[in-house]
Amino acid sequence: MEIRIFQKGFNFSQDGPGNRLVYHLQGCNLRCPWCSNPEGLVSGSGAAYTVDEIVDEVKRSEMMFFDGGGVTLTGGEATVQFEAVKELLCRLHENGVNTCIETNGICARLPELFPYLDLLIADVKHYDPVKHKQVTGLSNEMTLENIKIALAQGQKTALRIPLIGGFNAEEEDAKQFAALFGGLKSEGDFTVELLPYHEYGKDKYGALGVDYKMTEQAKVGGERLIKFKKILENSGITVIKT
């Protein structure tokens, strides 16, 4: 069984706890205009590795998993390669490796992975599934349902909001997110991290011959970001920064 990967390497604390070997898997089911990894959108490209090869690489890297580190699967969207990802996570779990997946949560089969995960990191890009579909291409109703299932099962969960001006970053948006998360808190504990828009992927679009559609309006910072964070915290939401 093969997994296609377009990038891999170690990262400390930003993709789960400790020092982690992060695999960026090829393919995605969304088309977010602000995506910082456009090279990962197309399925079928990237380098192919067997599950055995990745497990072997992870075993050889275990000395680097300090401060509670391990392996994180991200993308693109890792669940696009679901069967191979499930097999890999199962194998890593059997070998005592700390596992994490970063996902948009839209895959209906996501809960099948929970027994093999130490941490679920899920994007909640919007509180309104209709607007989410208008901008990214798909509704996030399944994302919200999967998060509820994860929390009900005691899955350690970290939620992230990519804050994009003109999409989800105004004061009213913060209040709507606070209401959404307030409802989720009855299912279980979780943290929320705010990820303000950045232009790290801008040059990649030019290299791929694709127009970059984001503008200065997308940037969020200063008092605007502080106010958004306070609205969540005042609603009892635990906001973290990694």
Side-chain angles (χ1 to χ4, degrees):
M1 195 171 288
E2 288 186 340
I3 294 181
R4 289 195 170 269
I5 295 169
F6 68 89
Q7 181 179 316
K8 61 180 179 177
F10 279 93
N11 196 8
F12 184 78
S13 85
Q14 293 183 332
D15 299 282
N19 200 45
R20 307 191 72 81
L21 182 52
V22 181
Y23 291 97
H24 289 258
L25 275 61
Q26 197 76 35
C28 189
N29 48 8
L30 297 183
R31 290 297 181 266
C32 305
W34 56 84
C35 180
S36 59
N37 291 315
E39 72 274 37
L41 295 179
V42 181
S43 299
S45 54
Y49 299 84
T50 67
V51 169
D52 285 341
E53 287 173 331
I54 298 173
V55 171
D56 182 65
E57 181 174 53
V58 170
K59 287 180 177 179
R60 289 185 281 107
S61 303
E62 284 184 310
M63 67 183 71
M64 296 294 293
F65 298 157
F66 51 82
D67 290 347
V71 170
T72 296
L73 305 183
T74 184
E77 170 54 42
T79 60
V80 170
Q81 303 184 57
F82 188 85
E83 293 295 346
V85 162
K86 183 177 179 180
E87 173 66 19
L88 175 59
L89 288 172
C90 179
R91 295 274 300 279
L92 295 179
H93 181 75
E94 288 174 350
N95 281 276
V97 177
N98 184 283
T99 57
C100 170
I101 191 170
E102 295 178 334
T103 177
N104 58 39
I106 289 173
C107 177
R109 297 180 62 188
L110 183 64
E112 294 179 32
L113 305 182
F114 295 163
Y116 316 116
L117 284 177
D118 292 291
L119 175 64
L120 169 69
I121 299 178
D123 274 4
V124 182
K125 304 177 196 292
H126 211 278
Y127 48 85
D128 181 352
V130 174
K131 188 164 185 179
H132 188 282
K133 182 176 182 178
Q134 289 173 346
V135 175
T136 71
L138 291 174
S139 165
N140 65 346
E141 288 179 293
M142 184 57 67
T143 301
L144 301 177
E145 181 61 28
N146 282 334
I147 290 170
K148 290 179 183 178
I149 293 170
L151 296 175
Q153 293 183 6
Q155 170 69 60
K156 186 176 181 182
T157 303
L159 306 181
R160 289 177 170 175
I161 306 173
L163 276 184
I164 314 296
F167 175 59
N168 66 358
E170 302 305 319
E171 183 175 345
E172 180 58 29
D173 294 316
K175 293 176 181 178
Q176 293 290 342
F177 273 114
L180 172 64
F181 293 148
L184 290 175
K185 281 184 70 67
S186 63
E187 303 290 341
D189 291 330
F190 56 90
T191 61
V192 173
E193 184 169 17
L194 305 179
L195 303 178
Y197 164 78
H198 58 71
E199 295 182 331
Y200 297 160
K202 184 176 182 179
D203 291 342
K204 297 179 182 180
Y205 286 81
L208 293 170
V210 179
D211 290 336
Y212 188 68
K213 299 178 181 180
M214 303 304 292
T215 67
E216 289 292 309
Q217 178 193 16
K219 294 183 177 179
V220 182
E223 288 298 320
R224 191 176 173 193
L225 178 58
I226 292 171
K227 179 178 287 188
F228 197 106
K229 179 174 180 284
K230 283 184 177 179
I231 289 172
L232 294 183
E233 291 177 331
N234 289 342
S235 298
I237 308 301
T238 301
V239 182
I240 64 168
K241 182 175 178 59
T242 60

